[in-house]
Amino acid sequence: MAQLWGGRFTKETDELVYKFNASINFDKVMINEDVEGSIAHATMLARTGIISKAEGEAIIEGLKSILNDVNEGKLEITEEYEDIHSFMEANLIKRIGDTGKKLHTGRSRNDQVALDFRLYTKKNVLLIKEDIVRLLRTILHIAEDNTVTYMPGFTHLQKAQPVTLAHHMLAYFEMFKRDVSRLDDIVKRMNYSPLGAGALAGTTYPLDRDFVAKELGFDGPTLNSMDSVSDRDYLIEFLSALSTIMMHLSRLSEEMIIWNSNEYGFIEIDDSFSTGSSIMPQKKNPDICELVRGKTGRVYGALMSILTTMKGLPLAYNKDMQEDKEVSFDAFKTVHDCLVMYDGMLSTTKFNKDTMALSAVKGFTNATDAADYLVKKGMPFRDAHKVIGELVVFCISKNIAIDDLKIDELKKFSELFDEDVYEEISLKTCVEKRLTAGGCSETSVLKTIEAEKKFLNQF
Ligand code: ARG
């Protein structure tokens, strides 16, 4: 046991207590952020004369060499230390002697861990943003290739009106685009340095918090020391954004699973992104989609966990907050992995365009347009709705589409039907007439694609 706080104690910590209390096994992933924060702190201590220039340099060199040794596998991070902060400090002292004991001047592990975790979280926010932007590019490619790939649009999972694959995929583009903007908002709000808050009340040393904040890429220092050490709002915001991203991925997964089913056959997920069955030789399963859908619960769990951990905490730091890490690290990695998987899977998925179009022709997706046709010929909409409803019932009994009926058969339902009806209710017309901004016609979709391209150009 190598603890930072033995002085006040007359008895050794119980072995089980030591293990229960320790966080080194998981907070070791923040070693880069810990070193980065300590270097900024030491630089500031030397600049302000709280320690000498030579001491500052020795500390920085020591920190860098420890990190280097860890990276090269020459130094192992072991359970002998309570957390990554203790590991670094103990090793620094081992390496450079008493000067190492000066690093923690004007600092507490409370503001240190607040800083490390904020830096680590920010790094992950930016990584997830990159992952989403990559996925957005893939989605846009699919959209560009499929502006006239007709398919049924659904409500209640019942065929509703025809759309195009481009239009359907661009719906997901919008969702993930909003996710990017949510991540940007989080960075804006979280980008303040808590270092210098000390244990909770600030410190008596003349720290230059502005300098440290700038060194570490923050917009400035936080403004209340008690809040600084006990705020995890930024994490909750990020986990909430991650949950929303997973919700979007999970909806897409659900659609991919349905589209990939034998009954639909709209898509074929590539062999490299599918798995087989140990007993049924014919099976090719959409496991990746199912796993992404399943892992969504796990990410929601992380959000609930932190919200619950935080809800009863009095100011300022409480050890409960050490529980912020494991579930969050897991959520960060899970979402990253899912986004990477999805990009690879979507870009290799084959879309069966003919099957999609045929499905749209077969499901009375032109019924609304048939009613609109009668309206244009002078029938009130409510009456037209009734006529087409009867027509649909008739077609179902014959297992045919509305357009399969000859004109004299159509006329039995309404005299207003004429030869031009076939053109007016064709799949192509149904889609291409929907010219409203944000509609599914090729004209509207191409405008949307142009706007989305501009959006992606900024990255
Ligand atoms: N490992 C601790 C955490 O993750 C570091 C802060 C400890 N501070 C304290 N006063 N015990 O929260």
Side-chain angles (χ1 to χ4, degrees):
M1 293 183 215
Q3 285 158 333
L4 299 173
W5 39 263
R8 154 83 173 74
F9 291 76
T10 50
K11 246 172 132 181
E12 279 280 304
T13 318
D14 182 278
E15 182 74 29
L16 287 175
V17 170
Y18 185 80
K19 281 203 169 128
F20 188 69
N21 189 49
S23 55
I24 187 103
N25 275 337
F26 49 89
D27 67 19
K28 61 185 172 194
V29 300
M30 303 194 305
I31 186 167
N32 288 313
E33 289 69 28
D34 197 72
V35 169
E36 197 189 341
S38 288
I39 289 177
H41 184 65
T43 309
M44 180 275 295
L45 290 178
R47 270 173 61 101
T48 48
I50 298 170
I51 60 173
S52 74
K53 286 231 148 27
E55 287 169 333
E57 277 161 23
I59 288 173
I60 292 168
E61 277 319 301
L63 290 167
K64 284 184 180 166
S65 74
I66 296 167
L67 181 62
N68 204 43
D69 287 357
V70 169
N71 286 338
E72 288 182 359
K74 288 188 206 150
L75 179 63
E76 209 192 327
I77 304 177
T78 61
E79 285 187 38
E80 191 191 339
Y81 306 92
E82 184 183 334
D83 53 26
I84 191 61
H85 326 297
S86 319
F87 167 85
M88 285 305 300
E89 191 172 325
N91 275 282
L92 183 68
I93 295 165
K94 244 190 235 166
R95 217 162 265 215
I96 68 167
D98 280 352
T99 305
K101 294 180 182 168
K102 296 195 174 185
L103 169 62
H104 215 49
T105 314
R107 188 173 73 165
S108 156
R109 266 189 304 161
N110 296 351
D111 60 347
Q112 185 177 0
V113 75
L115 172 76
D116 291 5
F117 197 29
R118 203 175 273 238
L119 286 172
Y120 188 82
T121 303
K122 184 174 145 191
K123 184 170 85 180
N124 276 277
V125 175
L126 299 175
L127 175 70
I128 295 290
K129 182 175 161 182
E130 268 176 39
D131 293 338
I132 300 182
V133 168
R134 197 180 321 112
L135 183 63
L136 282 173
R137 290 192 204 286
T138 300
I139 292 176
L140 197 63
H141 277 141
I142 297 174
E144 282 183 292
D145 288 347
N146 290 287
T147 55
V148 289
T149 305
Y150 300 125
M151 65 179 288
F154 297 83
T155 61
H156 315 273
L157 203 54
Q158 306 272 324
K159 290 177 194 177
Q161 291 174 345
V163 294
T164 62
L165 177 59
H167 197 56
H168 198 118
M169 292 313 292
L170 285 171
Y172 284 98
F173 191 101
E174 290 301 307
M175 296 178 222
F176 292 122
K177 186 174 156 189
R178 287 195 294 275
D179 288 328
V180 168
S181 103
R182 259 184 282 277
L183 296 178
D184 285 342
D185 286 348
I186 295 168
V187 173
K188 250 181 253 157
R189 244 186 316 278
M190 76 182 289
N191 207 25
Y192 295 91
S193 168
L195 204 66
L200 77 160
T203 81
T204 54
Y205 297 95
L207 306 184
D208 185 347
R209 294 192 62 209
D210 287 293
F211 172 81
V212 171
K214 208 161 167 223
E215 281 285 289
L216 295 171
F218 288 110
D219 292 330
T222 50
L223 296 182
N224 179 287
S225 60
M226 294 177 84
D227 177 54
S228 306
V229 290
S230 51
D231 165 34
R232 297 293 183 273
D233 288 5
Y234 65 89
L235 175 66
I236 290 169
E237 283 192 46
F238 186 35
L239 291 173
S240 163
L242 291 179
S243 296
T244 308
I245 293 165
M246 288 304 290
M247 181 267 289
H248 291 153
L249 282 177
S250 187
R251 292 184 74 175
L252 182 52
S253 295
E254 178 70 11
E255 299 212 290
M256 298 273 288
I257 292 164
I258 293 171
W259 292 356
N260 190 64
S261 67
N262 299 344
E263 283 72 15
Y264 274 70
F266 283 11
I267 59 171
E268 189 176 343
I269 298 172
D270 196 66
D271 278 5
S272 56
F273 282 87
S274 309
T275 48
S277 155
S278 60
I279 177 167
M280 297 167 282
Q282 84 282 14
K283 290 299 278 294
K284 200 176 120 180
N285 298 328
D287 281 25
I288 300 305
C289 301
E290 291 169 10
L291 271 174
V292 169
R293 192 175 57 181
K295 284 175 191 288
T296 302
R298 180 165 165 168
V299 176
Y300 290 3
L303 172 63
M304 284 307 130
S305 166
I306 306 299
L307 279 170
T308 313
T309 298
M310 294 305 294
K311 90 184 217 334
L313 298 189
L315 291 177
Y317 179 83
N318 299 268
K319 192 69 173 226
D320 313 45
M321 291 163 81
Q322 182 166 285
E323 284 297 307
D324 59 4
K325 293 176 199 66
E326 273 168 295
V327 287
S328 304
F329 294 162
D330 181 75
F332 299 171
K333 183 177 170 343
T334 300
V335 180
H336 168 70
D337 290 349
C338 289
L339 285 165
V340 169
M341 278 292 121
Y342 242 95
D343 186 50
M345 184 171 60
L346 269 187
S347 45
T348 51
T349 292
K350 188 176 154 259
F351 294 92
N352 298 327
K353 302 185 185 192
D354 293 344
T355 313
M356 287 179 158
L358 193 66
S359 169
V361 169
K362 285 215 147 162
F364 298 103
T365 58
N366 56 0
T368 313
D369 293 75
D372 287 343
Y373 170 86
L374 293 177
V375 170
K376 273 182 220 149
K377 299 268 169 166
M379 190 182 285
F381 180 76
R382 198 42 65 206
D383 293 339
H385 187 283
K386 186 162 179 281
V387 170
I388 301 300
E390 287 160 3
L391 190 51
V392 166
V393 173
F394 178 75
C395 290
I396 290 173
S397 73
K398 303 265 175 234
N399 195 20
I400 52 172
I402 299 175
D403 353 17
D404 289 337
L405 289 172
K406 298 261 165 357
I407 191 66
D408 45 322
E409 287 172 301
L410 285 172
K411 276 192 186 291
K412 285 185 198 151
F413 289 86
S414 168
E415 271 303 317
L416 294 174
F417 279 119
D418 240 320
E419 280 296 343
D420 60 346
V421 67
Y422 299 105
E423 175 65 26
E424 279 296 295
I425 65 168
S426 76
L427 194 54
K428 187 170 162 40
T429 312
C430 289
V431 171
E432 302 309 343
K433 264 189 330 196
R434 288 187 159 72
L435 288 160
T436 31
C440 65
S441 66
E442 186 179 26
T443 315
S444 303
V445 164
L446 286 175
K447 280 184 197 151
T448 300
I449 289 177
E450 271 325 294
E452 307 302 22
K453 268 191 189 159
K454 261 193 210 128
F455 168 77
L456 283 179
N457 273 344
Q458 63 179 300
F459 302 110

